[in-house]
Amino acid sequence: MTLTAARPKINETFRITPPALDIPERLLLGPGPSNSNPDVVAAMNRQPIGHLDPAYLDLMDEVQAMMRYVWQTENQMTLPISGTGSAAMEATLANTVEPGDVVLVGINGYFGNRLVDMAGRYRADVRSINKPWGQVFSLGELRAALEEHRPAILALVHAETSTGARQPLEGVGDLCREFDCLLLVDTVTSLGGIPIFLDEWKVDMAYSCSQKGLSCPPGSSPFTMSERALQKLDQRQTKVANWYLDISLLRNYWGKDRTYHHTAPVNMTYAIREALRLVTEEGLENSWERHQTTAEKLWEGLADLGLNCHVDKEYRLPTLTTVQVPEGVDAKAVTSKLLNDHNIEIGNGLGELGGKVWRIGLMGYNSRPENVDNVLVALGKVMAEL
Ligand SMILES: Cc1ncc(COP(=O)(O)O)c(C=O)c1O
């Protein structure tokens, strides 16, 4: 019997052959992804090698070392999670939350709510402390919440992409030590763009993404865990309820043993290695300064257009600016026209701030003065036309 004789007939109506890939050239000045550095795209555009090849293992070491630099941490357990920022976010909770653990989340924007949702799925007893979107928590407010809830983990978002606010972290780690709890921080929109000193600030767990301050496509996400957090993982009574993100398994691949866990996204490792290499070449101080200078140019230009920023200057992120939509202006019509007529993407408001703000990102490779000029000219034109 031939194979074809026993086989069902191929249903050719399922067959579509689109034209060759044709991607519009966009300037991505929204909440992310940002445009990647062309050197990163070139690094990614190589043949994969085996994920246990000695040459690949060297790249892994380099990636881990450079991540420690950008985060300013000595944490041994620092590695990229295969997936986007949400996967790395989930890794922090999956590994340290045991059913019934009290997890206290600071909610002052959209991503605080995502942390609540995720922690609940790992059966944490989730509590929250809330602030209006665009404001940040003071040390006094955090102390009062720790006293009231006595959590095992306090989770805060360093840079809230939905509001454009920077949560100060100085002193928070000391507070957490005093209350014997772990400090978990979302650095998705801060890494590479604003000062972060994980060890100095006594942060126990952090995660980020590749597609913003690191100028890389999405898909390989920095993750780190302190010795204190590792102790909690090692003392678990229950298995980590997520096989893919279980650090007690992943550390055998990212540690000395190099035991197969899952096939590493090899080309994403090329990409994030190049992205991190470019940050180390520029130097953290220079990168932070560049982000601040470029953002200040944007803020001045927005004021000249008669537009106001949503967040007080003291807590305003240079990586992501929320701009108040003037009365009577259709926010979405403006973003659509910017994209369609000018190939510039900026973000609409998210959640509570939907329709009320635009979100302009100046992150990584895109944090340059010419991009500020381009978006301001286009925005002025679009608003006049509408
Ligand atoms: C603050 C913050 N946390 C988490 C995430 C989730 O990351 P991702 O969309 O890469 O999964 C984002 C995404 O923009 C974010 O801005």
Side-chain angles (χ1 to χ4, degrees), residues 7-45:
R7 221 163 58 176
K9 207 164 166 279
I10 291 173
N11 184 343
E12 291 288 349
T13 62
F14 294 156
R15 182 175 185 172
I16 60 143
T17 310
L21 193 62
D22 181 20
I23 308 289
E25 266 198 34
R26 307 282 202 210
L27 177 57
L28 300 179
L29 300 183
S34 285
N35 294 89
S36 297
N37 188 304
D39 290 350
V40 172
V41 178
M44 203 177 170
N45 191 23

Side-chain angles (χ1 to χ4, degrees), residues 31-32 83-89 110-111 114 157-162 186-189 207-212 218-219 221 359:
T84 66
S86 304
M89 179 193 250
Y110 181 89
F111 291 100
R114 184 171 295 183
V157 179
H158 187 209
E160 232 322 330
T161 324
S162 61
D186 178 319
T187 68
V188 167
T189 297
Y207 56 87
S208 191
C209 73
S210 46
Q211 71 268 18
K212 302 192 192 201
S221 301
R359 293 183 296 155

Side-chain angles (χ1 to χ4, degrees), residues 325-343:
V325 177
E327 277 292 315
V329 172
D330 178 348
K332 281 193 181 158
V334 171
T335 51
S336 299
K337 209 165 163 51
L338 271 175
L339 189 70
N340 295 330
D341 298 357
H342 299 272
N343 277 314

Side-chain angles (χ1 to χ4, degrees), residues 197-260:
F197 295 94
L198 282 197
D199 285 1
E200 191 69 28
W201 293 343
K202 302 189 174 76
V203 175
D204 295 295
M205 285 173 282
Y207 56 87
S208 191
C209 73
S210 46
Q211 71 268 18
K212 302 192 192 201
L214 298 184
S215 322
C216 179
S220 179
S221 301
F223 164 93
T224 190
M225 220 175 168
S226 69
E227 285 303 317
R228 284 177 90 223
L230 271 176
Q231 266 173 27
K232 182 150 178 19
L233 168 64
D234 290 336
Q235 288 164 6
R236 290 181 68 99
Q237 305 296 310
T238 55
K239 255 188 173 179
V240 172
N242 185 318
W243 181 88
Y244 195 68
L245 300 173
D246 184 345
I247 293 295
S248 57
L249 303 176
L250 278 168
R251 69 176 159 200
N252 297 327
Y253 178 52
W254 285 94
K256 282 193 292 296
D257 296 346
R258 304 298 194 188
T259 315
Y260 165 71

